[in-house]
Amino acid sequence: MTSPSTKETTVTLLQDSARTRRRRLGVATAAAGLLAALLAAGPASATPDPGDGNQAPKSVSRTVEKQAEDAIAAGEIPGQDEVVHSANIEHLTNIPKDALPGTNSDLAFQGKYAFAGNYDGFRIFDISDPKAPKTVAQVLCPGSQNDITVSGNLLFLSTDSSRSDNSCASTTQPATEKSSWEGMKVFDISDKSNPKYVAAVETACGSHTHTLVPEKKNVYVYVSSYSPSATFPDCQPPHDGISVIKVPRDAPEKAAVVGFPVLFPGDGPDGGGNPGGPTNPGVSKTTGCHDITVLPSKDLAAGACMGDGILFSIKDPEHPKVIDQVQDNVNFAFWHSATFNQKANKVVFTDELGGGGAATCNAAIGPDRGADGIYDIVGKGDQRKLVFKSYFKIPRHQADTENCVAHNGSLIPVKGKDIMVQAWYQGGVSVWDFTNSAQPKEIGYFERGPLTTDTMRTGGSWSAYYYNGYIYSNDIAKGFDVLKLSDRRTDPAQRVRMDELNVQTQPDYFD
């Protein structure tokens, strides 16, 4: 098999205003080395449920097309496939998609390996040399989103598209059919070059995302899913909680659901979560959670649950207890994900306005919607409260053909500072500081120009995470990117080394 290389126009940005870019042109070549795929046949694309990414291209008006073209010509946005970045970020390499052509999704890390989810399965990279990652395995197993985590010798994969069965050869099948399957899959990754599928657990409404609460003998899995319907036999309303799976490490085939804790109790048919419209126009009705981040060292978790943000205790992992519940019915449309700071006295919640497939990084939407919401945690114990402090959004407008909104990110472990890196789809990758909760600021970024100027095509960075000195980004369309951040404010993080990282199982970096 050939080892293709890609040639990218790279722009290093030395200075930015809030709305335009002053650019110095240069050219760089990114070599992408690929090993032979382990798959004998090309994968069949999964057909996902509505959710993050993978929307079909949509036509745009000639006016929108011309505006994008004019913005490129004026240097206000990068050109198609043009790479731009701040002076403190270096783009080391890009590894294009190979045997799995579907939407790239989340990332997990263990030792010298990165695990990259894809709607068609997952890919394992050896990142011993971050400048030249090598493909170790590609596993065909369609089923969006294929949200991915690892713990010891086990790999976990979420399936949130209705399938004919739980095998990796399944096909799409309507959720109205009782025989359809959605849920969690478990693989043995003792041999990284040959993962083995060892268990499957069906969960109510499938598994859009999941979060690990690891223990010595068992791994608990919090399964987030939503959008029930009376017509779905395995996804009935009100669906106001999460599924909890217990996986014995020594016998993963015995994995099973051990509970469905209700997080939004209420007397109505939809429980006690946000009712959404028409009561709260433009806000998603809460029918479950989209994503949960746990901080095991503090027995805390933060849930991003459609119309609600919650803080809860996980002292008893099988019976989580909600401490506080907040809503933002002015600027938040869809509570998507959460990140604690190291001291556990702040949470950053993201708003995925437009579901990840819309252009929301523009003047019309403004700086407070499709953004991050920064909340301080005040008080002690079960009396703790989430207190809103400010919004953060990337300070660069994107074309109206670029899907762009706050998405997955992680802390950059700098003692005494609150700094994180975050994906913004076609808005790229942003590094920003929220040490002052009321005045967050961006300190670095990386992005590409629009995929197209004549259609709205979903692309850009799905997940951007810091791991052992480097930033890794899984780009929906372009593949796997590796970035190097060199900045006196973040350089101390290079001394922090992790053996394993699932970002939604947030570690105590300084323990």
Side-chain angles (χ1 to χ4, degrees), residues 245-256:
I245 298 173
K246 183 177 181 180
V247 185
R249 291 188 185 275
D250 294 338
E253 68 279 2
K254 295 181 180 179

Side-chain angles (χ1 to χ4, degrees), residues 75-89:
E76 294 175 358
I77 64 173
Q80 286 183 245
D81 291 329
E82 183 181 14
V83 170
V84 300
H85 54 81
S86 53
N88 57 358
I89 288 180

Side-chain angles (χ1 to χ4, degrees), residues 20 57 62 78 90 97 144 159-160 181 218 222 230 313 322 331 339 342 361 368 402 415 420 454-455 467 496 505:
T20 61
R62 176 55 190 154
E90 179 184 0
K97 294 180 186 180
S144 72
T159 299
D160 193 36
W181 185 91
N218 304 298
Y222 288 172
S313 167
V322 175
N331 288 316
T339 303
Q342 179 63 33
C361 296
D368 297 339
E402 293 181 277
K415 189 169 290 189
M420 68 179 289
D454 59 355
T455 59
Y467 178 69
V496 178
T505 304

Side-chain angles (χ1 to χ4, degrees), residues 221-408:
V221 185
Y222 288 172
V223 176
S224 296
S225 55
Y226 53 93
S227 296
S229 170
T231 65
F232 298 162
D234 300 318
C235 184
Q236 293 285 299
H239 192 71
D240 47 10
I242 58 174
S243 297
V244 179
I245 298 173
K246 183 177 181 180
V247 185
R249 291 188 185 275
D250 294 338
E253 68 279 2
K254 295 181 180 179
V257 174
V258 293
F260 186 85
V262 173
L263 302 178
F264 302 98
D267 297 331
D270 298 316
N274 198 316
T279 303
N280 297 316
V283 177
S284 295
K285 180 170 70 172
T286 297
T287 59
C289 290
H290 179 277
D291 211 344
I292 291 169
T293 293
V294 298
L295 192 57
S297 63
K298 305 292 186 182
D299 289 328
L300 274 181
C305 302
M306 305 182 72
D308 294 87
I310 60 173
L311 183 70
F312 56 102
S313 167
I314 58 169
K315 287 181 181 179
D316 180 351
E318 290 191 25
H319 302 94
K321 176 185 177 182
V322 175
I323 297 172
D324 195 23
Q325 176 182 352
V326 292
Q327 297 177 357
D328 179 347
N329 295 318
V330 175
N331 288 316
F332 260 49
F334 188 94
W335 295 67
H336 175 276
S337 55
T339 303
F340 288 99
N341 70 334
Q342 179 63 33
K343 291 183 179 179
N345 60 9
K346 300 175 189 176
V347 182
V348 174
F349 288 103
T350 66
D351 171 28
E352 195 186 44
L353 175 68
T360 71
C361 296
N362 52 31
I365 298 298
D368 297 339
R369 300 173 64 217
D372 296 315
I374 304 166
Y375 286 74
D376 282 356
I377 302 173
V378 299
K380 296 182 179 180
D382 289 352
Q383 303 305 312
R384 283 172 285 192
K385 298 292 183 182
L386 293 164
V387 178
F388 173 77
K389 299 300 290 186
S390 67
Y391 299 106
F392 170 78
K393 193 170 184 179
I394 55 172
R396 292 172 303 287
H397 284 175
Q398 307 296 310
D400 284 347
T401 60
E402 293 181 277
N403 62 304
C404 175
V405 75
H407 215 238
N408 291 2

